[in-house]
């Protein structure tokens, strides 16, 4: 039966696998907390964003009405200017 010996790192400034895994675990835990915070913030913002979309849709409707009123007024003004004409 063969006995297995742990590998010994002979390079300078080596990092063992266990140390690397521990660092990676810490980074993953940090990423997990960041993602969970982001999800919680998103849950808080969802009602606000929905309200903002409703407001935008209402404003869009109002802007369209104002735009059409401007087009009609401009057309009437151009027609009256055409009827009045220019006097030499």
């Amino acid at each position: 039966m063969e006995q297995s010996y742990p590998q010994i790192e002979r390079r300078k400034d080596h990092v063992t696998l266990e140390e690397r895994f521990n660092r990676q675990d810490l980074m993953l835990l940090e990423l997990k907390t960041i993602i969970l915070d982001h999800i919680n913030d998103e849950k808080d913002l969802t009602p606000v964003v929905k309200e903002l979309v409703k407001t935008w849709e209402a404003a869009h409707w109002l802007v369209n009405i104002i735009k059409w009123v401007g087009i009609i007024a401009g057309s009437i003004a151009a027609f009256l200017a055409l009827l009045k004409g220019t006097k030499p």
Side-chain angles (χ1 to χ4, degrees), residues 21-37:
F21 287 149
N22 287 337
R23 270 196 266 145
Q24 286 177 348
D25 286 344
L26 289 174
M27 287 191 306
L28 288 173
L29 285 173
E30 184 180 353
L31 283 173
K32 181 181 178 183
T33 57
I34 290 171
I35 290 172
L36 288 175
D37 289 343

Side-chain angles (χ1 to χ4, degrees), residues 84-88:
K84 184 177 178 184
T86 56
K87 295 183 181 179

Side-chain angles (χ1 to χ4, degrees), residues 34-72:
I34 290 171
I35 290 172
L36 288 175
D37 289 343
H38 179 71
I39 289 171
N40 289 334
D41 290 346
E42 185 178 312
K43 284 180 184 176
D44 294 341
L45 286 177
T46 300
V48 174
V49 171
K50 287 181 181 178
E51 182 84 19
L52 205 63
V53 168
K54 287 179 186 177
T55 306
W56 176 258
E57 288 172 353
H60 183 67
W61 180 78
L62 182 64
V63 168
N64 278 341
I65 288 176
I66 292 172
K67 184 170 60 172
W68 277 103
V69 168
I71 290 170
I72 292 170

